[in-house]
Amino acid sequence: MESRVLLATTNGWSPAIPTRPKQGLATPILCTGFSCRRRGRAVPLRSRGSASRGQCAPLEAKGADKDSEVLVALNGEEEGKKRKGWIHFVGIGGSGLSALALLALKQGFEVSGSDIMWSIFMDELHEAGARLSIGHSASNMERNAGSGLPDVVVVSSAIPADNEEIVHAKLMDIPIYKRDDWLRKITDKYRVIAISGTHGKTTTAAMLSYVLGAMGDDLIAVVGANVPQFSGGNIISGSGPNFVLEADEYDSCFLGLSPYIAVVTNVEWDHVDIFEDEEAVQNIFRRFVRQIRTGGHLILCGDSAGAYALLNDSRQATVSCNVISTSTTLNHGYSITTYGLSSKNDWHASSITRNSQGGQDYVLYYKACQIACISLMLPGVHNVLNSLAVFATVAALVTDGHCVHETINSVRNHLSKFEGVSRRFELIGKVNGCQIYDDYAHHPTEVHAVLQAARQKFPSEPLWVVFQPHTFSRLAALVKDFATALSDADYVIITETYAAREINNLNASESHLATLIRGPSTEYIPRLEDVIDKLALKIPSNMDQDTIILTLGPGDVATVGPELLRRMQKDHKISDNGGINA
C-alpha cells in the first residue's frame, strides 16, 4: 500500500495524493528512531499547536464600522448569507498589492484599482475581471454606472497620504487600510506561515506553497512573483487553514501579522531609504518575531549573522536525534529551528554537487542524522538554503516526529519537480549560441548569488551582465558592494537607475559604479535602447563560444532580454535566408 500524507483542513483531515515515489534517489535513514514505524499508515501533517478555525468575519477599520458589510473570505461561511463587498486597491500594479487583489477576486469580491503605469501583474487582474485605471483620480472609485462607492480602500506602502484617491476616500468616510493592516484582517483566522528575510522570500514562499499544494494541502498562498506552476499566477486560493505568504519588512508591513510559523531567511541592510543602518533592520525583525503566536515556531537560517542575531542567550539545550523536533522553546513561547550549510544548524546540507539538469544535488541532515539525498532543478547555493527552509517548515507542521520520514520523502519528491519563479534566473530564450536570463537581483548579496548560480550552471561560458540599479538611495549606500559583486562577471553594462519612488538628491552615480568594478570590461550605457543595440552588435563577434547574458534588477531592464531575443532571432532569420527577410 502506498503511504499518504494527511494534511490539516479546517474541518478535519482530507487525504492527499500518494507521495512515495516509485523511482528516484535512495533515502538513507541512519537514525533508527527516525524511520516510520507504521508502514502503510497515513502520516498526519498538521501544526503541533491548536489551529485557528476559519470563520467569516467583518472587516473593521480604525474608528469606522461601515466596512462591516465586507467579509474577509474565510473558510466556513455559507454562500450568499452576506454579500461580498467592493475593494479598491491604490497602487495595484505592485507585486504585493496585486497578489492581494487577485486573491480577493478569487474569493468573490468586486475589485478595482489604480496605478501610475501598467505592470505585468495587472494583466492577470484584468483577465480575472478587475476594473483597472492608469493614473490616480477620485473617478477611479466609481462604477461605470456611477453608482456606489467601495466598501474598503487598500493602499500600497508606496502611495503618499495626499494621493487624490485617499483624500477622496477620507472625505467619503470609506475605511482605508494600509497593506499591513489589511494583511492582519485577511489572515487573522488562519494559521499563518510567514516567509520573511532580506533575500529569498519569494522563492522560499513559492517552494513551500508548491510542495504543500502537491501534498494535498488546501492552502492559501500569496507570493510576490508569478509562479508558473501555480494555476493562479502568484496566488493559491484554497480554504486553509494554512496561509503561506511573503512577509515584507518594507515600511514594517510584516508587523501586521501574527504568524504561527515565521521563517527568516537572512537579515541584512536594505531599503536604505527607510532603515538608517543594519541595526534598524535588526530591530524591525526583532519586533516581527515577537509576534509569533504562543506555541508557534521560528525557523531561521543560522548561516546568516543577521538572522542568527535574533536569537538571545536563553537558547537551551539540544534534542535527541532519535525524533525530529524543533530545537528549543524560549520564554517567548515559540520554538526555534535553524537551517543552513553549517553542521551546527538543525537542518543542514552537505556534498553539494551540480546535477545533469543544471541544478544541484545535496545530502540532507537533521543534526547528526543523514536523512535523504535531495535533487533540485534550480542552481545556486541560495536555492539549497531555500529548500532547507522548506524541509524545516514542513517538519514543524508534522504531528508525530517518529513518522516524519514519509513526509520528508514526499517533500523531497516534490521539491525535485519545482521549476522556479518568474524573474528569478528565468530563461528568456536561446538563439545562435546565446542564452538570455533575467533576474530580479537588486542588492549586492543577490547579485553575487545569481552570478554564483550562473557560474555553477555554466562554468566555462562567458557571462555578460546588464545591471540596472534600483533606487538612488540603495546605489549610493551600497555602491562598493555592488562593484565587488559585479566583478564576478566577464562583461558588465551599467544602465541608468530605475528611480521607483525616489529622486536623486544623493548624487548617486551609475558611472562611478562602473569605474569601481575591477576585472571585467565595464561600460556605462544609460538608455536601455542603446544597451540592446550594443549587445546586438557585440554578440555576433563572440560566436566562437556560447554566451550567457543576464539582465538584473526589478525595473524595466526586464524588457531588454525579450527585445534582444526578438532582434537576434530576426537577424538570424535574415542571415539564414541569404539576406532576405522572409
Side-chain angles (χ1 to χ4, degrees):
M1 177 188 296
E2 288 189 300
S3 88
R4 296 190 295 174
V5 178
L6 295 186
L7 303 179
T9 66
T10 304
N11 299 316
W13 304 104
S14 78
I17 58 174
T19 56
R20 179 179 292 175
K22 295 180 180 178
Q23 297 178 342
L25 294 172
T27 307
I29 306 298
L30 303 188
C31 299
T32 57
F34 177 71
S35 171
C36 184
R37 298 171 183 168
R38 293 176 286 177
R39 295 295 180 186
R41 292 182 61 184
V43 182
L45 176 59
R46 62 177 180 181
S47 63
R48 293 186 174 91
S50 60
S52 299
R53 297 306 188 207
Q55 301 170 1
C56 281
L59 301 179
E60 297 175 3
K62 298 174 182 178
D65 59 7
K66 178 181 177 181
D67 59 335
S68 60
E69 298 176 350
V70 183
L71 302 181
V72 178
L74 301 176
N75 191 43
E77 181 76 12
E78 282 186 36
E79 197 71 29
K81 280 196 172 182
K82 293 187 179 180
R83 74 176 181 87
K84 294 294 177 99
W86 172 13
I87 308 171
H88 181 76
F89 293 85
V90 184
I92 199 169
S95 60
L97 219 60
S98 64
L100 297 179
L102 187 58
L103 180 63
L105 276 168
K106 298 291 186 182
Q107 293 175 329
F109 290 98
E110 179 182 352
V111 169
S112 62
S114 62
D115 215 318
I116 57 173
M117 60 185 299
W118 195 269
S119 75
I120 57 172
F121 296 107
M122 296 169 74
D123 292 338
E124 189 161 5
L125 285 169
H126 176 69
E127 292 173 6
R131 293 195 312 278
L132 303 175
S133 304
I134 300 303
H136 297 301
S137 168
S139 63
N140 295 338
M141 301 165 66
E142 299 175 356
R143 292 189 177 95
N144 292 335
S147 62
L149 289 169
D151 297 282
V152 168
V153 172
V154 182
V155 182
S156 165
S157 301
I159 301 297
D162 61 354
N163 176 275
E164 183 176 346
E165 294 177 28
I166 298 175
V167 171
H168 183 65
K170 289 178 179 178
L171 181 65
M172 303 305 295
D173 197 30
I174 301 172
I176 300 170
Y177 288 93
K178 290 192 68 175
R179 185 156 64 108
D180 56 342
D181 294 321
W182 184 250
L183 284 171
R184 181 184 296 112
K185 292 296 179 187
I186 68 172
T187 61
D188 183 56
K189 301 297 182 181
Y190 291 100
R191 184 190 301 138
V192 174
I193 304 171
I195 312 300
S196 71
T198 309
H199 324 292
K201 294 185 292 292
T202 297
T203 301
T204 304
M207 262 188 189
L208 176 63
S209 301
Y210 171 76
V211 167
L212 289 177
M215 292 170 69
D217 192 7
D218 191 22
L219 77 158
I220 302 169
V222 175
V223 179
N226 184 63
V227 185
Q229 290 169 291
F230 287 4
S231 60
N234 58 345
I235 68 163
I236 298 175
S237 55
S239 59
N242 291 327
F243 194 137
V244 178
L245 80 164
E246 193 174 325
D248 189 3
E249 75 274 18
Y250 181 75
D251 200 25
S252 305
C253 274
F254 61 5
L255 295 184
L257 301 171
S258 296
Y260 174 70
I261 297 178
V263 177
V264 182
T265 59
N266 41 63
V267 177
E268 285 192 281
W269 188 32
D270 194 16
H271 301 304
V272 302
D273 55 327
I274 290 180
F275 300 115
E276 183 178 357
D277 51 28
E278 187 163 353
E279 182 60 28
V281 181
Q282 283 280 336
N283 287 336
I284 203 70
F285 273 91
R286 289 189 189 102
R287 290 176 60 190
F288 171 62
V289 300
R290 284 199 292 266
Q291 297 185 178
I292 298 172
R293 295 180 182 181
T294 300
H297 305 265
L298 170 60
I299 297 170
L300 58 80
C301 181
D303 293 351
S304 165
Y308 196 78
L310 299 176
L311 304 182
N312 61 31
D313 294 333
S314 66
R315 182 169 179 146
Q316 301 169 3
T318 62
V319 172
S320 167
C321 186
N322 288 336
V323 177
I324 290 207
S325 174
T326 48
S327 304
T328 308
T329 299
L330 298 184
N331 295 332
H332 298 299
Y334 54 79
S335 59
I336 290 176
T337 301
T338 62
Y339 67 90
L341 302 185
S342 168
S343 61
K344 295 179 181 179
N345 294 295
D346 301 317
W347 293 89
H348 53 97
S350 71
S351 306
I352 302 171
T353 57
R354 179 173 177 247
N355 62 32
S356 59
Q357 300 179 91
Q360 53 210 324
D361 297 338
Y362 67 89
V363 179
L364 174 68
Y365 283 80
Y366 178 75
K367 296 186 181 294
C369 306
Q370 182 177 334
I371 303 301
C373 297
I374 309 303
S375 185
L376 303 176
M377 297 176 68
L378 308 181
V381 172
H382 61 294
N383 281 315
V384 171
L385 292 173
N386 294 338
S387 68
L388 289 171
V390 172
F391 279 110
T393 302
V394 175
L397 292 169
V398 174
T399 306
D400 188 346
H402 290 280
C403 288
V404 74
H405 163 62
E406 303 293 343
T407 299
I408 295 302
N409 205 35
S410 181
V411 174
R412 175 185 71 90
N413 180 39
H414 295 304
L415 270 180
S416 70
K417 302 171 185 174
F418 179 68
E419 299 172 1
V421 179
S422 295
R423 301 221 59 212
R424 304 304 189 274
F425 202 67
E426 180 183 9
L427 177 63
I428 302 303
K430 305 177 183 180
V431 61
N432 208 21
C434 176
Q435 298 188 44
I436 304 171
Y437 287 82
D438 179 56
D439 196 277
Y440 200 76
H442 57 287
H443 183 281
T445 299
E446 296 165 358
V447 172
H448 173 75
V450 71
L451 294 188
Q452 180 271 333
R455 288 296 188 199
Q456 181 189 66
K457 189 175 180 72
F458 305 105
S460 59
E461 289 86 344
L463 183 57
W464 295 3
V465 172
V466 179
F467 176 61
Q468 182 186 54
H470 184 262
T471 73
F472 299 111
S473 59
R474 184 182 285 114
L475 174 61
L478 304 176
V479 62
K480 292 182 180 179
D481 296 324
F482 277 123
T484 300
L486 289 164
S487 66
D488 291 337
D490 295 301
Y491 172 57
V492 179
I493 295 176
I494 306 296
T495 76
E496 63 185 0
T497 298
Y498 189 83
R501 54 192 173 269
E502 294 184 346
I503 58 173
N504 189 9
N505 53 12
L506 300 170
N507 294 318
S509 172
E510 303 90 345
S511 59
H512 178 55
L513 169 59
T515 63
L516 291 177
I517 298 171
R518 297 288 180 262
S521 173
T522 304
E523 295 184 74
Y524 170 51
I525 304 177
R527 287 165 37 89
L528 297 182
E529 296 87 345
D530 296 333
V531 170
I532 295 168
D533 290 341
K534 176 76 176 185
L535 291 173
L537 290 172
K538 188 176 177 68
I539 289 169
S541 65
N542 200 56
M543 293 308 296
D544 54 329
Q545 63 181 137
D546 291 350
T547 302
I548 309 303
I549 296 177
L550 264 172
T551 58
L552 303 181
D556 55 357
V557 69
T559 63
V560 169
E563 177 57 27
L564 177 63
L565 182 67
R566 186 197 64 77
R567 177 92 63 90
M568 292 177 63
Q569 288 171 335
K570 179 181 177 182
D571 292 345
H572 184 61
K573 187 174 182 180
I574 293 173
S575 176
D576 287 347
N577 284 279
I580 300 173
N581 189 3

